[in-house]
Amino acid sequence: MAVGKEEVEEIVKPRTDKREYRRIVLPNSLEILLISDPDTDKCAASMDVNVGAFSDPDGLEGLAHFLEHMLFYASEKYPLEDSYSKYITEHGGRTNAYTDSEHTNYYFDVNSDGFEEGLDRFAQFFIKPLMSAEATMREIKAVDSENQKNLLSDAWRMNQLQKHLSAADHPYHKFSTGNWETLEVRPKAKGLDTRDELIKFYEQYYSANVMHLVIYGKENLDKIQATVEDKFKDIRNIDRNCLHFDGEPCTSEHLQILVKTVPIKEGHKLRLVWPIAPEIHHYKEGPCRYLSHLIGHEAEGSLFAVLKALGWATGLSAGESDSTLVFSFFRVDMDLTDAGHEHMQDIVGLLFKYISLLQQSGVCEWIFDELSAVCETKFHYQDKMQPINYVVSISTNMQRYPPRDWLVRSSLPCNFSPDTIQVVLNKLSPDNVRIFWESKKFEGHTNMTEPWYGTAYSVEKISGSLIQEWIVSSPNENLHLPAHNVFIPTDLSLKNNHEKANCPVLLRKSPCSTLWYKPDTMFFTPKAYVKIDFTCPHASESPETEVLTNMFTQLLMDYLNEYAYYAQVAELFYGITHTDRGFQVTLVGYNHKLRILLETVVEKIASFKVKADRFAVIKEMLIKGYQNLKFQQPYEQAMNYSALILQDHTCPWTEELEALPHLQVEDLAKFVPWMLSRAFVECYTAGNLEKNEAESMIQHIEDVFFKGSNHISRTLFPSQHLTNRVVKLEKGKSYFYSVEGLNPSDENSALVHYIQVHQDDFMLNVKLQLFALVAKQPAFHQLRSVEQLGYITVLLQRNDSGIRGVQFVIQSTAKDPAHIDLRVEEFLKGFESKLYDMPSDEFKSNVNALIDMKLEKHKNLREEAGFYWREISDGTLKFDRKESEIAALRQLTQQELIDFFNEHIKVGAPQKRSLSVRVYGNSHSSEYATHTNSPVQPCCVKIDDIFSFRRSQPLYGSFKGSHVKL
């Protein structure tokens, strides 16, 4: 029998939350939070184990992470390798895990009918896992492949450098991921067997009393409790103490330092870090939240607004990082322009001036109260999230907070304590700062190398008095505290909406616009979602116009930032983005002040003027952004090439980069009126809005752009309505495109093997989806777990504007892309017999899993809007897609799935259309040279030039084009 039920105060939950919660503690001391949600479609679980990379033995770096990988394989009760993942996938679920400094978290979700057995399989990780010798060697390679993926990531490199420059005897200093060297080469040299050490580590640290479990189920709490007690009672409790690593990671020699470091990507970054006491001990006072709110503020008078006006920074964030129960850091990160890089000392001086301003102003109660009010509204009206994300977010914090606050955590600062905030503020001084300064300009001017990632850096000591000189010599700018926030909503009432539409309705249609409206019939929160899509044919006429449209949207966001930042603080978000047909405005958040923000955005678009100083900054930022695309992961490059081959009217980023340096202020000034001169507006509105409010919004937009003697826009000519066209690959042909990776330093190669099947059709859709569901886990197991081709190995569905297919995406240092392509085909040959031999009950189980996945309700307004907007933007307009596809699934027979496979997927099938994009990394450059000159096999077509190929191919008809006629 469980102990401890209801022994604590009631768990605080949002006012709008109808779920039930219960804390229990099993006799083995496993502490559990049970969540009952009768409305859920998915059930989920997350187990947080209070041991992580800090506990890695010296010389076996990455052991905790490696153990996380190994637990997935098999257990005594379920000895078939990978059967856990197979079970979860076949029941519509996902599973994953991650290793942190002091925690390892395992989690999964699954359709509700598969939850009980899923839990049983999951529990066996912690009861009697099997860690076979064969799996050990394979998974060391997987850990190494994961590390290879991270080697050229600036985020991983800078994080490790920060750790490297700390006390060598503190666990913070460690390399946490592990690789072939730390898990195979070094242990072997010392006569250690990694598998023995792995088992020893598990035996030593995995104990029920340092685990926290969250269970999210559909049944009532008593039923869930009975299931959980049965499944998890056998986890052993060796009464381990919770691990705490005392001492500060940074001694005096690691403070007052300036670290110059060379990144992989273009751009300059500045990071200031101070050791502080962890906020967790004062989470109701929220000192870091208060300070990050002010230091990271972007409105007029803020540090960022001043740096932006000087043309020195394009981004700034502030807050607590790397927090444990014993130590923590406060961090300020800035993205600098070229001019900002030259003024690093002034920027540091201005930051300390702003900190000084906070000292002089004292801790302001009205700012704390405002922040507290925003946090309270956010907590009580929070969107429901996917159960899998919810359980992880709670379990990771159960160790740190009392049960009453497991859901609240640090999200509700409510105790105003100036002294507590002042203690942290006092820590942000020149005397204990660490400054990390990244720039390619330091290439050749560093004298040290970080051992794990090979990052070049140098360190110099900087005294408090030197920083004092920087403060004195920095510009005298008008830094001041933010104003009162006018965007904080005060009307949170729900509209008396009598509309009961279950899908969007076309509320209004004119030559200028269409208006789609979806009342909130599910979420009942005081929030709205508005999407305004401007189709402007002139925006996509050439690489130059693509770039100019992008610059226009970036400048709009830039101009709006100081005003609209207040809206973002108050949880009313907006975005203006460049699309392949023009640009898009999205607003989402509390509906009370949404109209005010919308009118401001519309006015800014209509009265757009180019400011030369901001143009220069945005142009510089865009050039670096384009240049950095060559540092994308090779699999991302392969995805980009496949989109370029398949999607009509797309241009490569290399052409846009070529066009960009020649564009000047006057080019944009001339272009924007020309772009807006012909436009069509498609608008989607949803949530806590009434019909008349939605109609009033689109009327306002039409009045601003299309009405009056000086109208900005005219309606489109019939020939100008843009369409979505996709290349129709020829039946019976296998196309391939080979290219060298863009970054010569990247050892990784990648393959995208795409099989094009059909244009949107309910019955074909479900056959494709069912194939993908059935093949996903076997593909991962064979190609990743058994053959160890690469850490990134996935089988995905693909949908290009209604053209459906599947694709294998694999990134590897082990094998070249042509070899991987052959392995994919071998997998498909082997999979054929699995499909033929599948028992009928397994087929039915897979069909039911897919039906359950389709029955899954949207969790929040954003998710629902994303689904419906996809139908509108693709032009498919099948708002009843889920119901229609479920009906098709119920009709589907096993023989029909086999026939579908034989016709469209099977290797050598006469109807099959496939495209392989092969990106060769540095480790396979010799194979690239060989394969480029090899003779082409029959039925294979080599693509030499993407655009010649695209121009020569037939295209699928566009759904979008068939709906534009008014």
Side-chain angles (χ1 to χ4, degrees):
M1 180 57 204
V3 296
K5 174 179 156 184
E6 299 302 337
E7 69 178 28
V8 293
E9 290 179 80
E10 195 178 339
I11 292 166
V12 177
K13 67 177 191 176
R15 283 194 287 269
T16 52
D17 188 353
K18 296 184 176 66
R19 294 168 290 203
E20 291 187 324
Y21 298 85
R22 178 185 293 168
R23 170 190 178 265
I24 62 169
V25 182
L26 300 191
N28 61 0
S29 297
L30 176 64
E31 194 169 21
I32 306 171
L33 178 66
L34 310 175
I35 306 172
S36 168
D37 180 3
D39 296 328
T40 193
D41 308 294
K42 280 272 198 293
C43 298
S46 170
M47 176 74 90
D48 194 78
V49 187
N50 188 212
V51 61
F54 278 5
S55 301
D56 286 343
D58 289 336
L60 270 163
E61 291 82 2
L63 194 65
H65 177 218
F66 178 44
L67 174 58
E68 170 230 301
H69 276 240
M70 286 297 295
L71 288 194
F72 278 82
Y73 265 92
S75 61
E76 272 189 25
K77 186 170 181 182
Y78 299 100
L80 189 63
E81 197 176 279
D82 242 28
S83 63
Y84 161 74
S85 299
K86 181 174 184 287
Y87 179 86
I88 298 299
T89 304
E90 285 176 354
H91 289 80
R94 295 169 292 166
T95 177
N96 214 332
Y98 68 86
T99 306
D100 210 334
S101 302
E102 297 182 306
H103 296 260
T104 308
N105 198 285
Y106 302 83
Y107 53 94
F108 77 96
D109 71 358
V110 74
N111 294 337
S112 54
D113 64 345
F115 192 43
E116 190 164 336
E117 187 177 331
L119 267 184
D120 194 50
R121 290 170 176 274
F122 182 69
Q124 297 305 312
F125 288 8
F126 313 103
I127 297 169
K128 284 201 172 163
L130 287 181
M131 297 185 242
S132 74
E134 187 197 358
T136 302
M137 186 49 68
R138 287 202 312 252
E139 213 52 33
I140 289 174
K141 289 179 182 172
V143 169
D144 186 63
S145 177
E146 184 177 354
N147 181 59
Q148 289 277 351
K149 170 184 73 71
N150 301 335
L151 288 178
L152 297 178
S153 157
D154 283 327
W156 281 94
R157 292 162 73 87
M158 296 309 154
N159 184 43
Q160 189 61 44
L161 181 60
Q162 219 176 293
K163 293 163 77 163
H164 181 65
L165 295 171
S166 66
D169 59 353
H170 195 283
Y172 179 73
H173 181 83
K174 289 179 178 179
F175 167 56
S176 57
T177 318
N179 60 17
W180 184 254
E181 180 75 17
T182 67
L183 294 171
E184 172 62 16
V185 178
R186 292 185 187 182
K188 199 171 255 181
K190 289 185 191 167
L192 294 174
D193 181 294
T194 303
R195 181 169 173 264
D196 290 347
E197 296 302 314
L198 186 74
I199 293 165
K200 217 184 282 178
F201 187 89
Y202 179 84
E203 297 288 341
Q204 184 180 354
Y205 291 114
Y206 273 53
S207 172
N209 74 305
V210 294
M211 296 180 182
H212 289 85
L213 177 65
V214 182
I215 301 289
Y216 195 111
K218 197 177 179 72
E219 309 286 356
N220 65 45
L221 287 172
D222 290 340
K223 181 95 188 289
I224 298 171
Q225 180 170 335
T227 303
V228 169
E229 287 172 4
D230 176 51
K231 305 295 181 201
F232 292 89
K233 66 180 186 299
D234 293 332
I235 299 177
R236 69 200 179 101
N237 176 16
I238 54 168
D239 217 23
R240 267 218 64 87
N241 289 327
C242 274
L243 296 163
H244 290 304
F245 299 90
D246 293 329
E248 287 287 335
C250 295
T251 63
S252 58
E253 70 175 288
H254 308 114
L255 303 175
Q256 291 191 311
I257 55 170
L258 172 62
V259 183
K260 293 177 182 171
T261 171
V262 183
I264 298 293
K265 291 187 173 181
E266 296 294 334
H268 321 284
K269 290 182 188 292
L270 193 59
R271 174 181 293 179
L272 284 85
V273 187
W274 296 265
I276 58 165
E279 182 171 76
I280 184 68
H281 302 301
H282 301 283
Y283 65 93
K284 288 192 186 298
E285 290 77 19
C288 290
R289 187 178 280 264
Y290 177 90
L291 292 171
S292 65
H293 168 66
L294 292 174
I295 296 170
H297 215 282
E298 297 184 15
E300 189 202 345
S302 67
L303 173 64
F304 178 65
V306 164
L307 294 177
K308 198 178 111 173
L310 290 164
W312 291 352
T314 57
L316 186 149
S317 63
E320 189 180 27
S321 76
D322 290 334
S323 163
T324 73
L325 288 170
V326 176
F327 70 87
S328 187
F329 296 98
F330 192 89
R331 207 168 100 181
V332 177
D333 286 290
M334 289 174 266
D335 295 312
L336 307 185
T337 61
D338 291 345
H341 177 72
E342 301 303 322
H343 285 275
M344 182 279 288
Q345 296 175 2
D346 289 328
I347 291 169
V348 172
L350 281 165
L351 169 56
F352 278 109
K353 270 187 178 169
Y354 192 81
I355 291 168
S356 172
L357 166 74
L358 298 183
Q359 292 276 18
Q360 289 156 19
S361 308
V363 178
C364 297
E365 189 164 8
W366 75 264
I367 292 177
F368 182 88
D369 288 346
E370 202 174 78
L371 189 59
S372 180
V374 167
C375 289
E376 187 171 2
T377 306
K378 182 181 178 181
F379 176 73
H380 287 296
Y381 294 96
Q382 62 186 272
D383 287 340
K384 213 171 180 183
M385 62 171 87
Q386 299 278 354
I388 192 169
N389 299 332
Y390 195 53
V391 293
V392 171
S393 72
I394 298 169
S395 68
T396 50
N397 285 291
M398 286 167 72
Q399 181 75 35
R400 313 180 90 189
Y401 295 92
R404 186 177 187 279
D405 288 334
W406 278 348
L407 309 184
V408 171
R409 304 187 289 280
S410 61
S411 64
L412 281 182
C414 51
N415 297 345
F416 179 61
S417 170
D419 292 349
T420 306
I421 296 170
Q422 194 63 50
V423 167
V424 179
L425 184 56
N426 292 342
K427 286 281 187 186
L428 310 187
S429 81
D431 297 332
N432 62 342
V433 72
R434 290 152 57 85
I435 303 177
F436 293 82
W437 187 12
E438 295 172 42
S439 176
K440 291 257 199 187
K441 293 205 170 174
F442 299 136
E443 226 152 4
H445 301 286
T446 58
N447 59 355
M448 284 181 266
T449 305
E450 189 280 316
W452 299 110
Y453 290 82
T455 309
Y457 72 99
S458 63
V459 182
E460 55 196 82
K461 284 297 261 184
I462 44 165
S463 63
S465 58
L466 178 62
I467 293 177
Q468 212 57 50
E469 287 172 28
W470 296 355
I471 296 168
V472 171
S473 64
S474 65
N476 281 318
E477 297 294 326
N478 185 22
L479 292 164
H480 59 81
L481 296 178
H484 287 277
N485 191 340
V486 296
F487 280 103
I488 294 175
T490 51
D491 179 1
L492 297 165
S493 61
L494 299 181
K495 312 276 181 186
N496 291 321
N497 215 321
H498 304 300
E499 291 289 324
K500 288 290 169 254
N502 289 325
C503 56
V505 291
L506 184 58
L507 207 54
R508 180 185 145 135
K509 197 172 184 179
S510 80
C512 314
S513 69
T514 52
L515 171 64
W516 297 93
Y517 171 69
K518 168 71 176 69
D520 179 8
T521 55
M522 273 188 71
F523 310 112
F524 308 109
T525 61
K527 295 179 183 180
Y529 184 101
V530 176
K531 172 88 75 179
I532 307 156
D533 187 60
F534 286 81
T535 293
C536 305
H538 300 315
S540 52
E541 289 177 339
S542 68
E544 281 88 354
T545 61
E546 293 269 4
V547 173
L548 287 166
T549 308
N550 196 356
M551 294 186 95
F552 163 71
T553 60
Q554 300 268 357
L555 278 166
L556 275 172
M557 290 291 286
D558 187 80
Y559 296 170
L560 280 160
N561 192 54
E562 284 189 21
Y563 170 79
Y565 184 77
Y566 285 107
Q568 302 208 104
V569 168
E571 296 290 300
L572 176 54
F573 300 99
Y574 74 104
I576 306 167
T577 51
H578 164 223
T579 68
D580 53 6
R581 300 193 293 262
F583 64 98
Q584 230 170 54
V585 176
T586 309
L587 298 110
V588 58
Y590 300 114
N591 56 278
H592 181 205
K593 309 281 178 79
L594 185 142
R595 178 65 186 257
I596 302 167
L597 183 58
L598 174 72
E599 288 184 8
T600 307
V601 172
V602 167
E603 189 274 325
K604 277 279 188 238
I605 296 169
S607 62
F608 182 82
K609 294 280 181 291
V610 186
K611 299 174 185 171
D613 58 334
R614 299 313 299 159
F615 175 90
V617 167
I618 297 297
K619 180 177 173 179
E620 181 194 314
M621 196 168 84
L622 279 177
I623 288 173
K624 285 175 188 159
Y626 280 118
Q627 287 171 337
N628 285 332
L629 289 175
K630 70 171 177 278
F631 300 115
Q632 283 183 314
Q633 294 272 349
Y635 82 89
E636 294 172 307
Q637 295 175 35
M639 300 280 274
N640 287 345
Y641 286 122
S642 61
L644 208 53
I645 290 166
L646 293 167
Q647 293 167 6
D648 197 31
H649 290 313
T650 47
C651 68
W653 64 267
T654 46
E655 290 181 3
E656 294 182 12
L657 176 58
E658 202 178 314
L660 184 46
H662 309 292
L663 297 172
Q664 302 303 327
V665 169
E666 48 276 19
D667 296 312
L668 186 59
K670 278 185 211 151
F671 169 72
V672 172
W674 169 241
M675 176 187 70
L676 293 171
S677 67
R678 293 279 173 191
F680 183 79
V681 179
E682 191 143 35
C683 186
Y684 174 84
T685 58
N688 196 36
L689 291 172
E690 289 172 349
K691 267 186 185 177
N692 60 339
E693 291 178 281
E695 289 176 312
S696 159
M697 284 179 194
I698 199 73
Q699 187 61 58
H700 176 72
I701 292 164
E702 283 197 12
D703 289 346
V704 169
F705 288 96
F706 295 94
K707 303 286 161 67
S709 54
N710 293 326
H711 56 77
I712 296 162
S713 307
R714 291 191 173 144
T715 57
L716 302 187
F717 291 115
S719 63
Q720 288 182 298
H721 283 276
L722 297 183
T723 56
N724 305 325
R725 306 290 305 269
V726 174
V727 166
K728 189 173 192 174
L729 300 175
E730 194 177 329
K731 290 176 181 174
K733 293 281 173 72
S734 296
Y735 300 88
F736 69 95
Y737 177 70
S738 300
V739 64
E740 288 189 281
L742 295 167
N743 178 7
S745 305
D746 200 330
E747 299 291 315
N748 291 283
S749 293
L751 169 78
V752 168
H753 180 102
Y754 167 64
I755 301 167
Q756 190 179 70
V757 180
H758 66 284
Q759 189 163 25
D760 195 36
D761 168 276
F762 291 141
M763 183 52 89
L764 281 168
N765 291 353
V766 298
K767 289 175 183 176
L768 182 72
Q769 290 158 9
L770 192 58
F771 162 72
L773 177 69
V774 172
K776 183 181 177 182
Q777 190 54 35
F780 181 85
H781 179 62
Q782 181 60 36
L783 301 172
R784 154 79 145 74
S785 302
V786 176
E787 298 188 29
Q788 284 298 322
L789 293 179
Y791 176 74
I792 295 172
T793 300
V794 285
L795 169 60
L796 299 164
Q797 294 177 59
R798 180 169 178 146
N799 177 6
D800 297 279
S801 304
I803 310 307
R804 307 285 184 130
V806 288
Q807 58 190 358
F808 292 82
V809 181
I810 301 172
Q811 182 165 299
S812 178
T813 49
K815 299 292 180 186
D816 69 81
H819 177 92
I820 298 170
D821 219 349
L822 293 173
R823 299 316 304 156
V824 168
E825 298 214 326
E826 280 304 309
F827 164 75
L828 288 171
K829 286 174 188 170
F831 183 73
E832 199 177 327
S833 58
K834 285 186 185 166
L835 207 51
Y836 283 118
D837 300 339
M838 185 189 290
S840 60
D841 60 340
E842 192 179 325
F843 171 78
K844 283 180 192 147
S845 168
N846 279 302
V847 168
N848 290 334
L850 190 52
I851 287 171
D852 285 348
M853 288 161 79
K854 290 185 175 300
L855 287 170
E856 199 177 329
K857 295 184 282 288
H858 299 299
K859 300 290 174 291
N860 53 58
L861 190 57
R862 276 181 196 252
E863 205 179 285
E864 181 192 76
F867 174 80
Y868 288 127
W869 180 252
R870 179 78 190 256
E871 294 292 335
I872 293 166
S873 64
D874 282 352
T876 40
L877 302 183
K878 292 175 180 168
F879 299 132
D880 62 345
R881 177 175 300 283
K882 290 184 177 187
E883 296 77 9
S884 300
E885 289 184 350
I886 288 168
L889 260 175
R890 294 195 197 281
Q891 306 292 315
L892 185 65
T893 66
Q894 189 164 350
Q895 188 55 49
E896 285 176 314
L897 180 64
I898 291 167
D899 293 344
F900 169 83
F901 178 84
N902 289 339
E903 189 177 341
H904 296 286
I905 310 291
K906 182 177 173 173
V907 176
Q911 297 284 310
K912 184 171 179 178
R913 297 183 273 237
S914 71
L915 165 69
S916 292
V917 177
R918 304 165 181 174
V919 173
Y920 286 76
N922 188 35
S923 54
H924 302 121
S925 52
S926 58
E927 287 95 330
Y928 174 72
T930 308
H931 296 161
T932 305
N933 300 313
S934 300
V936 176
Q937 299 291 315
C939 295
C940 287
V941 179
K942 183 182 177 192
I943 300 172
D944 289 313
D945 177 78
I946 288 176
F947 306 105
S948 300
F949 170 76
R950 207 166 70 183
R951 282 189 287 268
S952 69
Q953 297 303 302
L955 303 173
Y956 282 99
S958 169
F959 285 110
K960 196 72 179 171
S962 61
H963 294 293
V964 294
K965 197 164 189 295
L966 296 166

